[in-house]
Amino acid sequence: MKKFLMAIAGSAVLILGACGGGEEDEGESGGGEGGETYDETAAEESYQANCAQCHGENLEGASGPELPGGHSEDEVREMIDNGGGGMPADIIEGEEADNVAAWVADQ
């Protein structure tokens, strides 16, 4: 079942990436907390590959909680690093985690 879900998530990333939104250039940076920027395309791909299984395709929640706005980048990064509430720690690390944290905080 886990392989099936991973295959679905991977397929969704490829399909969504191929379709594009037509409004932004690939790899365009979004605004982050404090004027920082992040790579929106890379953040969405990382989220879909590592987080969407639990937090939903659109951050609406699934087996894990929804990720509504209002979380700071630091709060999101702390949860990624330390886990909690059933979420394992360090699912993603380093710059990838920084990028996803900035993107989630901006949603």
Side-chain angles (χ1 to χ4, degrees):
M1 181 69 172
K2 188 173 182 179
K3 287 183 182 180
F4 175 74
L5 291 175
M6 292 298 287
I8 296 287
S11 297
V13 168
L14 291 175
I15 291 169
L16 292 173
C19 293
E23 295 179 18
E24 299 178 5
D25 293 333
E26 185 173 337
E28 185 170 318
S29 295
E33 184 178 286
E36 298 171 18
T37 60
Y38 54 86
D39 184 332
E40 184 172 5
T41 301
E44 287 180 16
E45 288 175 0
S46 294
Y47 176 85
Q48 292 299 326
N50 298 290
C51 311
Q53 305 89 299
C54 296
H55 295 289
E57 295 287 321
N58 299 304
L59 294 86
E60 75 276 10
S63 63
E66 67 179 318
L67 298 175
H71 293 292
S72 73
E73 184 176 338
D74 289 338
E75 291 171 324
V76 175
R77 180 58 198 253
E78 184 176 329
M79 184 58 85
I80 291 170
D81 289 343
N82 302 321
M87 179 175 153
D90 296 320
I91 291 175
I92 52 177
E93 298 176 321
E95 291 180 15
E96 181 181 16
D98 290 338
N99 197 44
V100 171
W103 178 79
V104 168
D106 198 37
Q107 300 307 300

